[in-house]
Amino acid sequence: MPEMPEVETVRRTLLPLIKGKTIKKVTLWYPKIIASDPQEFEQQLVNKKIETIDRYAKYLLIRLSGNLTVVSHLRMEGKYRLVKENTKKDKHDHVQFVFTDGSALRYNDVRKFGRMQLVKTGTEKEVTGISKLGPEPNSPNFTIAAFTEGLARKKKSIKNTLLDQSLVAGLGNIYVDEVLWETKIHPLSMANALPKTKIKQLHDNINSLIELAIEERGTTVHTYLDANGKTGGFQEMLKVYGHKGEPCVRCDTPLEKIKVSGRGTTFCPYCQVIYK
């Protein structure tokens, strides 16, 4: 699943391709992609202009004229690409926005897990899945104090806690494994048992890791591509994810992989301390 750095990279590459374009027609080849009313989605977007694209955590917020926003979640394998209107449809193309200049934005999703929702601009944090999310890394609301207080209430593993999005939004399996390795915390450590010194390190490492991953245009492990069809670069910097059985670059101990609530989790059994 694209995580925050990948979605930010999609935002940055997609914006110059579609900003200022006016929608002539919307085609829904697979209406279930639309979480709001599909017919209203098709009708209300006609003659609307793309003003900008924002992002919150893993959600793209496509801002339109008329005070409307398309909230888009790519889920596992969603991708956007700009084509000519008459380009042959790919079997996994499910939504098309045709613009007045003859170009078209297509949403492609092999698994059909992605979702789009049309909302009034400014209401996305109340009426979409964003309402359940915590603050983003590197944002003013992601403070050490709030993070510490939140962890104290979590009676589950730190891996699950970071994945649940309630204390910090945007981290998925890849970046959680990486940041726990960086901070030398075992993924099965209890969130409410972490020492304050480790909490500060974890907080700071989350910020720095996400910032670096965005600079490197995200991580391509399976199928992730940006809006220009290019892969990310952060996969070359991964220390643990995808490296089961290889020596830890810090201590040479073979990395191990376990399941944490069904999620593959790679870690160093020597470097990463378990807190109970």
Side-chain angles (χ1 to χ4, degrees):
M1 177 183 292
E3 303 177 28
M4 181 174 158
E6 290 77 56
V7 179
E8 174 61 17
T9 302
V10 170
R11 186 195 72 81
R12 293 182 181 186
T13 53
L14 183 58
L15 181 58
L17 297 179
I18 65 171
K19 184 177 181 180
K21 291 179 181 281
T22 299
I23 298 171
K24 181 176 70 174
K25 181 176 65 173
V26 176
T27 302
L28 302 180
W29 290 304
Y30 186 72
K32 290 183 180 179
I33 293 288
I34 309 304
S36 48
D37 183 276
Q39 189 173 7
E40 286 186 5
F41 189 93
E42 286 181 310
Q43 294 173 349
Q44 292 189 30
L45 293 188
V46 174
N47 295 324
K48 298 299 187 293
K49 185 177 180 180
I50 307 287
E51 295 185 337
T52 191
I53 306 175
D54 294 325
R55 179 197 50 73
Y56 193 88
K58 303 176 188 180
Y59 289 82
L60 288 172
L61 307 173
I62 303 173
R63 308 295 192 185
L64 307 167
S65 58
N67 201 37
L68 293 175
T69 293
V70 173
V71 180
S72 172
H73 198 306
L74 303 176
R75 297 287 176 89
M76 295 292 289
E77 298 195 35
K79 301 177 185 69
Y80 283 103
R81 64 192 176 109
L82 190 68
V83 298
K84 293 182 179 179
E85 181 182 357
N86 59 0
T87 299
K88 183 180 178 181
K89 177 187 176 297
D90 182 270
K91 67 177 181 179
H92 299 301
D93 286 340
H94 303 309
V95 180
Q96 176 174 257
F97 305 87
V98 178
F99 299 114
T100 54
D101 66 356
S103 64
L105 179 66
R106 290 187 182 171
Y107 176 75
N108 183 288
D109 193 336
V110 173
R111 301 196 185 190
K112 300 180 180 178
F113 288 167
R115 291 293 179 268
M116 297 180 200
Q117 184 174 349
L118 183 63
V119 302
K120 289 185 178 180
T121 299
T123 67
E124 55 273 359
K125 290 187 179 181
E126 288 78 46
V127 300
T128 73
I130 296 174
S131 64
K132 301 176 182 178
L133 302 182
E136 294 184 314
N138 296 300
S139 69
N141 292 330
F142 184 48
T143 64
I144 294 175
F147 191 47
T148 301
E149 183 180 339
L151 288 173
R153 298 193 301 266
K154 296 288 187 177
K155 298 180 181 180
K156 59 183 181 180
S157 74
I158 186 61
K159 171 79 185 254
N160 281 342
T161 297
L162 294 179
L163 286 176
D164 77 13
Q165 310 296 303
S166 63
L167 296 186
V168 55
L171 299 176
N173 210 36
I174 296 173
Y175 297 113
V176 170
D177 279 6
E178 291 296 309
V179 79
L180 290 178
W181 178 86
E182 189 70 36
T183 318
K184 299 182 179 180
I185 297 173
H186 193 289
L188 291 178
S189 295
M190 295 299 293
N192 60 1
L194 296 182
K196 287 187 177 180
T197 54
K198 279 295 172 187
I199 293 174
K200 183 181 185 307
Q201 289 175 22
L202 180 59
H203 172 275
D204 294 348
N205 285 340
I206 288 171
N207 282 341
S208 59
L209 181 76
I210 292 298
E211 185 175 26
L212 178 59
I214 289 173
E215 289 177 5
E216 293 297 321
R217 304 175 65 257
T219 302
T220 298
V221 174
H222 299 295
T223 61
Y224 160 71
L225 299 172
D226 67 20
N228 291 318
K230 296 181 179 179
T231 60
F234 194 72
Q235 62 271 15
E236 306 299 330
M237 300 182 177
L238 296 175
K239 301 297 195 304
V240 288
Y241 187 91
H243 293 290
K244 171 191 173 183
E246 297 178 22
C248 172
V249 298
R250 195 161 45 203
C251 73
D252 283 337
T253 302
L255 299 175
E256 295 182 4
K257 186 174 182 179
I258 58 175
K259 287 286 183 72
V260 179
S261 296
R263 305 299 298 274
T265 302
T266 309
F267 67 101
C268 174
Y270 181 79
C271 284
Q272 293 176 248
V273 177
I274 190 162
Y275 298 94
K276 292 286 190 177

